[in-house]
Amino acid sequence: EWSEEDERVILCIKHAENKGWKARVLKLFVPLPQERRVGLDAIGSDVWHWVDGKNTVGRIAKELAKKYKLEPREAQLSLQQYFKELGRRGYIGFTREGDE
C-alpha cells in the first residue's frame, strides 16, 4: 500500500508473520510494529508514479532524464540501481513485456 504526503510517496510495508522460533522468542522481548513506513524522495516519488504497468523501464529513464536534466545513460544506470534496490527489498516485482 502507498499514499502521498506533501507530494511524496509513502510506502506502507506490512510485516509478514514470521513463524520461526527465533522470531517468536524475539517478539516476547521486543515488540515489532505491524508495518513500516518508507518515504521516497522527490525523484523516487516521480519514478513511483511512472511505474504503472504500462511504462517500460526505457520510457521511465527518458522521463527521468528529461525532467531532471540528466544524461540518458546516467538516468538509465541510476534507474536500474533504484529498481534493483526496490526489488531486493520486495517493494516491486518485474515482468517481461507481454507476461501476466
Side-chain angles (χ1 to χ4, degrees), residues 56-96:
T56 64
V57 173
R59 175 74 181 147
I60 294 169
K62 285 179 186 176
E63 290 295 324
L64 189 63
K66 185 170 103 178
K67 183 167 183 178
Y68 292 98
K69 296 177 177 63
L70 302 171
E71 292 295 321
R73 184 72 177 144
E74 179 185 9
Q76 187 177 32
L77 292 173
S78 296
L79 187 61
Q80 286 174 352
Q81 185 61 35
Y82 184 65
F83 281 154
K84 183 178 178 181
E85 185 62 23
L86 290 177
R88 185 186 70 75
R89 292 178 182 223
Y91 298 167
I92 62 173
F94 298 93
T95 63
R96 289 190 181 96

Side-chain angles (χ1 to χ4, degrees), residues 2-43:
W2 64 279
S3 61
E4 287 188 75
E5 293 177 13
D6 299 323
E7 298 183 18
R8 302 289 170 96
V9 170
I10 308 296
L11 305 178
C12 181
I13 311 301
K14 305 249 187 240
H15 288 289
E17 186 64 35
N18 192 332
K19 298 181 179 168
W21 70 270
K22 290 179 185 177
R24 287 194 306 265
V25 170
L26 181 61
K27 200 173 180 180
L28 293 173
F29 299 102
V30 180
L32 300 175
Q34 296 295 317
E35 63 185 31
R36 182 168 53 106
R37 294 170 48 92
V38 177
L40 302 181
D41 64 11
I43 296 173

